[in-house]
Amino acid sequence: QVQLVESGGGLVPPGGSLRLSCAAPKNIFSIYTMGWYRQVPGKQRELVAAISSGGSAVYADSAKGRFTISRDNIKNAVDLQMNSLKPEDTAIYYCNAWWTNNYWGQGTQVTVSA
């Protein structure tokens, strides 16, 4: 069973920053596309950002210019740096590993509120 271990969620005021991290097994991390999704109650889970094993990144329009996804090849982790956070960024954020299989983390809550 593949485990993706997320960390870094929490409560932050509007305009603040958070950094999420997701650690994956080395054999998964080295070849899978890694991504971050988010979900709010009553809505579908949506892509925030993803990065291929080669380092090519894609972002949702809502994340462009504010969020940065990166791979840490030493720690076998994918990070999501989130700046200029808005209340509408409030959601549960899920780490994802995708290639021949699709794996999910347990989710971490991000709340943006004054």
Side-chain angles (χ1 to χ4, degrees):
Q1 184 175 356
V2 173
Q3 274 195 313
L4 304 179
V5 181
E6 299 143 337
S7 61
L11 172 64
V12 62
S17 297
L18 276 178
R19 189 176 185 89
L20 306 182
S21 187
C22 170
K26 183 176 182 179
N27 63 319
I28 296 296
F29 180 81
S30 62
I31 59 175
Y32 274 55
T33 290
M34 303 295 298
W36 286 95
Y37 288 69
R38 67 188 183 188
Q39 189 171 23
V40 297
K43 292 190 176 182
Q44 285 192 327
R45 194 171 295 186
E46 64 177 10
L47 174 70
V48 177
I51 186 166
S52 70
S53 57
S56 296
V58 294
Y59 295 90
D61 286 344
S62 60
K64 289 178 182 177
R66 300 188 299 129
F67 296 0
T68 303
I69 191 170
S70 60
R71 299 175 74 104
D72 186 329
N73 295 325
I74 302 298
K75 297 180 180 179
N76 297 321
V78 58
D79 295 337
L80 184 69
Q81 177 66 42
M82 304 186 292
N83 299 327
S84 302
L85 283 161
K86 305 174 182 180
E88 51 263 43
D89 294 317
T90 295
I92 299 175
Y93 284 68
Y94 295 91
C95 179
N96 174 261
W98 175 85
W99 189 46
T100 54
N101 289 294
N102 197 24
Y103 301 110
W104 294 95
Q106 79 281 3
T108 185
Q109 177 71 46
V110 171
T111 302
V112 184
S113 175

